């Protein structure tokens, strides 16, 4: 069974940093493209970032470009999101999700999310 | 960026009746070289992550009941629940998978009348 477990979310002050992790199990992680998607309270889903299976292609939403960095460790079956210069509008539940092998954006498997709150 | 707009924002349907959700993209998500529409539908129940229901505009994922169907092409798409069940109460999102950023619609809240 595919399992994705996010961690690292917490309360952080504006301008601060956080590193989110997503631990994968139940599938061959190294063969899958991966994504981060977030959802602010009561808001729509917002795609944040994408990384291909071998990290050769990386994409970001404009809202996080230059502040967030996606990475992965296939040996550790883990996905990461380094978030710097955090803003109040980054407050959201952050989900990791598998991507398909065509566009990478069909999100078939999701974790339960980790909450990031940016507030003073 | 491709803007995805859903209608209606909220929908109340009697049990056993049809529910129809529309999704419009600001530009075509039809890739002409393979004639495929890069459009997905998700279901999100309260306190849960989204669940992929339909990919390629009309292909149901494994295990999704056949009362869920997707249609449309180019810029206009529809998700239909042919006979609404109590467990279908949720927010439904469309998403374009054509190009980054992979944008979502604002969601449609489906409830029982």
């Amino acid at each position: 069974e595919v399992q994705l477990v996010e961690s690292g979310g917490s309360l952080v002050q504006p301008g601060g940093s956080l590193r989110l992790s997503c631990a994968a199990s139940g599938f061959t992680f190294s063969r899958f493209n991966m994504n981060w998607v977030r959802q602010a309270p009561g808001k729509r889903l917002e795609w944040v970032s994408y990384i291909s299976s071998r990290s050769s292609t990386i994409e970001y939403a404009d809202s996080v470009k230059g502040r967030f960095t996606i990475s992965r460790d296939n040996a550790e079956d883990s996905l990461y999101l380094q978030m710097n210069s955090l803003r109040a509008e980054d407050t959201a539940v952050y989900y990791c999700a598998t991507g398909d092998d065509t566009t990478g954006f069909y999100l078939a498997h999701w974790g339960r999310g980790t909450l990031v709150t940016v507030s003073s | 960026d491709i803007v995805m707009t859903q209608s209606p924002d909220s929908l109340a349907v009697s049990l056993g009746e049809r529910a129809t959700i529309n999704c419009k993209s600001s530009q075509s998500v039809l890739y002409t070289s393979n004639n495929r529409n890069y459009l997905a539908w998700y279901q999100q129940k309260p306190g849960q992550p989204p669940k992929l229901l339909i990919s390629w505009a009309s292909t149901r994922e494994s295990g999704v009941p056949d009362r869920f169907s997707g249609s449309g092409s180019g810029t206009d798409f529809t998700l239909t629940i042919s006979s609404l069940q109590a467990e279908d109460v949720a927010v439904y999102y469309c998403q374009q998978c054509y190009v980054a950023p992979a944008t979502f619609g604002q969601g449609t809240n489906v409830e029982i009348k």
Side-chain angles (χ1 to χ4, degrees):
Chain A
E1 179 193 1
V2 172
Q3 276 209 322
L4 298 167
V5 179
E6 302 91 341
S7 61
S10 69
L11 172 64
V12 60
Q13 290 191 339
S17 298
L18 273 180
R19 189 192 196 206
L20 304 184
S21 300
C22 171
S25 62
F27 66 107
T28 306
F29 178 74
S30 61
R31 293 182 182 175
F32 278 74
N33 304 314
M34 296 296 296
N35 293 266
W36 286 99
V37 177
R38 68 185 180 184
Q39 188 170 35
K43 300 296 186 182
R44 76 173 71 188
L45 298 164
E46 180 186 11
W47 172 84
V48 172
S49 185
Y50 160 87
I51 186 167
S52 61
S53 59
R54 296 185 179 185
S55 305
S56 56
T57 301
I58 287 174
E59 304 271 9
Y60 296 100
D62 286 346
S63 58
V64 307
K65 202 172 292 184
R67 301 187 299 124
F68 289 12
T69 303
I70 192 171
S71 63
R72 65 190 295 161
D73 184 338
N74 286 344
E76 294 293 326
D77 292 342
S78 293
L79 175 71
Y80 304 102
L81 187 67
Q82 177 66 44
M83 305 188 297
N84 299 330
S85 303
L86 282 161
R87 306 166 180 167
E89 54 265 34
D90 295 319
T91 294
V93 174
Y94 284 73
Y95 298 101
C96 65
T98 61
D100 68 301
D101 57 8
T102 52
T103 76
F105 300 133
Y106 283 113
L107 309 172
H109 303 283
W110 297 64
R112 297 202 65 85
T114 186
L115 176 62
V116 173
T117 304
V118 184
S119 175
S120 54
Chain B
D1 296 359
I2 297 177
V3 177
M4 307 300 290
T5 304
Q6 293 179 226
S7 62
D9 290 335
S10 187
L11 183 61
V13 175
S14 300
L15 287 172
E17 296 299 306
R18 179 184 300 260
T20 301
I21 301 168
N22 299 302
C23 174
K24 189 174 186 68
S25 57
S26 61
Q27 64 188 75
S28 177
V29 298
L30 173 64
Y31 194 40
T32 52
S33 65
N34 60 11
N35 200 36
R36 302 185 89 172
N37 287 283
Y38 285 57
L39 190 286
W41 288 98
Y42 298 85
Q43 174 193 65
Q44 187 177 31
K45 297 181 179 180
Q48 295 185 20
K51 174 186 175 183
L52 178 62
L53 295 177
I54 288 173
S55 56
W56 306 114
S58 60
T59 302
R60 260 191 314 273
E61 293 297 295
S62 174
V64 174
D66 61 6
R67 63 180 179 273
F68 291 91
S69 64
S71 63
S73 185
T75 61
D76 292 281
F77 300 91
T78 300
L79 175 69
T80 301
I81 309 172
S82 60
S83 175
L84 191 74
Q85 304 300 303
E87 60 266 31
D88 301 334
V89 169
V91 179
Y92 292 85
Y93 294 92
C94 62
Q95 177 211 17
Q96 64 84 12
C97 302
Y98 186 80
V99 66
T103 42
F104 292 86
Q106 80 275 22
T108 295
N109 186 38
V110 174
E111 53 190 22
I112 305 296
K113 185 187 291 183

